[in-house]
Amino acid sequence: LEHRVQAGIHQLEQLEEERAKLEAQIQEASSRVGPPTQMERQLDQAQRRFAEQLQRIQSLEGELEALRERAAQLEQRLYDQEQRSRDSDQRSEALAARLSQIEFDSEQTRLGLEQQLQHLSAEEQEAKRLAFEDQLTRLPNLNILQQYLDFTSGLIEREEGAAILVLIDIDRLRSINQTFSTYAGDELLRQFAERLKSLCRNTDVLGRRGDDEFLVVVAHKAVDPRELALARTTVAQMAQSLGNKIMNACQEPFYLDGSPVQMTCSIGMSMFGGEPLEQTVEQVQVALDRARELGRARFQFFGPELQDRMRKKHAVVPRLVEALERQEFMLLYQPIIDLRNGKMVGLEALLRWNDPNLGMISPGEFLPAAESSGLIVQIGEWSVQEACLMAAQYKDLFVSVN
């Protein structure tokens, strides 16, 4: 448009020069000729063209000015757009930095959570180990043994095999603790547990029941119910073989603090017979008690004779309750003599049950029932209280309760 305006101005200047020449010629001709001539008419035409051209140029200049204003507006809008773009870029950069920081924080949080989960997983595994493993011997404890005993009971009920429960008790562990130390007693338990592990089959389940007692479940599956009799015979032979191996293993000395120590154990065994699990556990305990009565260092199967003894023990429990209520228990005292001077220095209290129908009953006949029923606590408290009353009467003597 500016180019067109410049061209129009140039053309206007040419017309102005042409008009000036025509006016000069007209004035010269007028001095010689009177009326208007052809040149005057041409001059009028030139002036009209000049006026039209001038008007056109003015219109073009107006359009040019409008275009300049439009261009200025466009430039302002472009500047504003660029400014907003720069602001947007700055915001985008800030947002990108924020997102990067959030991603970094999220990754750190994820790593922290993974570490916590790994730590919790390790703690859960340790908790499970502590819940199902005996800390001293590293054998299964009573918690996991109870689950396997329940499983074995189900196996017997479904007539899918036969099993024997074996209860092993270390003889006179308390004397070893007193002679050496409790640490030596713990070491004996660990060594004994290792020997038991080496004697048991892979299919046997060995665990520590508590204190100085261990449990072994010896099982043999039967493919067909008709083979149950053979399975019972087989599992009885396996249990007997295990009992002999344990007895022979105890012949080898244990070494405590570098010193050889001889140790024996007593074993009770009972066949799972489809009865409640608690009854099987009670039967194996009765068999163990019988092995102790017979002199220890042996194993004893639960049989009909012990079944009769267990029935008698159950019958004794209600009578023990009545005996406590009727105060039928009594203490007998025997003197304790100092052999150096022959003087009596104390008394030993001996518990007896004076039954009105059966007469005097020794502790060996009723204490097992008292222990299994929990009545031993009440009987023990009564015995200690009575012994203390006796000691108060003989202040120069001591009283021991047996």
Side-chain angles (χ1 to χ4, degrees), residues 239-304:
Q240 184 174 1
S241 175
L242 176 62
N244 289 324
K245 290 178 182 179
I246 296 174
M247 293 301 162
N248 293 333
C250 289
Q251 299 299 319
E252 296 293 328
F254 296 85
Y255 286 88
L256 304 178
D257 297 332
S259 301
V261 175
Q262 292 297 142
M263 184 213 76
T264 62
C265 68
S266 301
I267 303 174
M269 300 181 181
S270 178
M271 180 83 71
F272 283 84
E275 65 277 348
L277 177 60
E278 294 77 9
Q279 185 173 341
T280 303
V281 174
E282 184 180 5
Q283 290 174 356
V284 78
Q285 184 66 58
V286 170
L288 175 62
D289 294 339
R290 181 56 178 165
R292 290 169 176 166
E293 292 175 4
L294 294 175
R296 303 178 186 268
R298 67 189 63 216
F299 61 87
Q300 175 70 44
F301 276 96
F302 182 84

Side-chain angles (χ1 to χ4, degrees), residues 12 15-16 18-20 22 39-53:
L12 184 60
L15 290 174
E16 182 66 23
E18 185 179 348
R19 186 178 66 83
L22 289 174
M39 296 183 70
E40 289 178 344
R41 289 193 294 273
Q42 291 178 355
L43 178 61
D44 290 336
Q45 292 176 359
Q47 287 178 345
R48 286 195 297 274
R49 288 197 301 273
F50 177 79
E52 292 173 358
Q53 192 68 22

